[in-house]
Amino acid sequence: MGKFAWPGGALAAVTLLYEDGLTSQLEKAIPQLNEAGLHGTFFPSGDGLKDPSNAVLWSAAIAAGHEIGAHTINHPCDRAHDFVREGFSLQDYSEERLRGEINENLEIIKKFGASVDRPVFAYPCGESVYGEDLKKSYVPLIKEMFLAAKGVAGNIADPEKVDLYDVPCFGITCGTQGMIDIAEKALARGGWALFLFHGVGGDYISVEAGAHREFLRYLVAEKANILTAPFGKISAAIEKSRR
Ligand SMILES: [Zn+2]
């Protein structure tokens, strides 16, 4: 097996991820990405997924080349988090309930126009265990249903070694220079840096809209060296190299 080579002769790769389907992503991040000619991966959940007024915006995002992945409908996490609703914690779920909800999630994004042939997944809260004692893993279920899933470890992924069902990413709350520093680390190592955003110029765990825009400009200026592409596209290239 030869050494993994990034498509198009790039030296490194970047993926821009946006979780929960927040209004600021629809209103600010997507227009900025479109203006830059870059494509991101969105994981809407909860109201961001179900709000009927968002459907047309997600369809437009897909038509513009962005990827929509699954992040569940009800965002089940450990009930130790204070935001988890009664009856919707991972402790309350069975494998059947997880499978049913994820299938429903895929049906919804399919209606937006997303391809659900080889979709991508983001574990809500980065947690992949369920059941009363949180001792059962639902990674096997995700492996059965998805091409790849993102985890939460904050490091640069090595395309030759990365576990495609636990792809690391950086949760971003910093300014432009902090984002560039991460991209440069990926460049130095020939690796894959995944940037996880929530709010962009609003909502929660946010970055400033101007900082996000400046970082997109950096990626456009570096595009001969850094391949910026959706999660599924890069995961598919990695998976193909391992066959
Ligand atoms: Zn989330």
Side-chain angles (χ1 to χ4, degrees):
M1 231 179 22
K3 241 183 138 19
F4 180 81
W6 291 111
L11 305 175
V14 158
T15 289
L16 305 168
L17 307 164
Y18 302 83
E19 265 187 23
D20 300 345
L22 306 177
T23 304
S24 66
Q25 296 169 4
L26 287 158
E27 291 182 349
K28 293 176 185 158
I30 291 176
Q32 287 186 6
L33 287 162
N34 291 346
E35 195 190 310
L38 297 173
H39 298 142
T41 298
F42 292 82
F43 292 105
S45 180
D47 291 339
L49 177 71
K50 289 183 296 181
D51 186 338
S53 63
N54 285 350
V56 61
L57 298 171
W58 292 126
S59 296
I62 292 162
H66 304 292
E67 176 179 47
I68 311 286
H71 191 43
T72 75
I73 298 174
N74 295 301
H75 208 281
C77 296
D78 182 350
R79 65 167 67 115
H81 301 287
D82 56 10
F83 53 82
V84 176
R85 286 173 299 144
E86 178 95 46
F88 291 94
S89 72
L90 279 167
Q91 286 91 336
D92 297 308
Y93 275 65
S94 61
E95 185 186 321
E96 233 180 301
R97 186 175 169 192
L98 280 164
R99 185 190 295 274
E101 183 171 323
I102 293 167
N103 272 323
E104 239 181 281
N105 186 171
L106 292 174
E107 279 307 309
I108 296 172
I109 64 170
K110 197 174 162 186
K111 282 198 192 116
F112 296 156
S115 163
V116 293
D117 184 26
R118 306 188 80 198
V120 291
F121 187 74
Y123 305 99
C125 302
E127 296 163 358
S128 54
V129 288
Y130 69 99
E132 202 41 59
D133 305 323
L134 295 182
K135 284 200 174 129
K136 295 178 197 153
S137 167
Y138 72 94
V139 176
L141 173 66
I142 297 306
K143 287 188 175 172
E144 196 189 298
M145 301 176 79
F146 292 91
L147 164 67
K150 63 152 284 282
V152 287
N155 45 53
I156 307 279
D158 175 345
E160 297 193 28
K161 293 190 192 131
V162 65
D163 175 354
L164 286 177
Y165 294 92
D166 187 20
V167 179
C169 72
F170 294 89
I172 304 296
T173 51
C174 58
T176 310
Q177 191 54 50
M179 300 183 217
I180 292 174
D181 289 346
I182 294 170
E184 288 187 341
K185 250 182 231 163
L187 260 180
R189 293 183 205 171
W192 179 21
L194 294 95
F195 293 74
L196 173 62
F197 298 97
H198 285 83
V200 177
D203 297 314
Y204 53 82
I205 329 179
S206 35
V207 295
E208 284 175 22
H212 181 264
R213 178 184 278 120
E214 278 311 305
F215 182 53
L216 299 187
R217 285 189 182 141
Y218 163 85
L219 291 174
V220 170
E222 283 289 334
K223 74 176 175 198
N225 297 323
I226 302 176
L227 168 68
T228 300
F231 188 33
K233 206 167 181 175
I234 297 205
S235 298
I238 290 174
E239 195 251 12
K240 196 174 161 208
S241 77
R242 293 176 180 177
R243 273 188 231 153

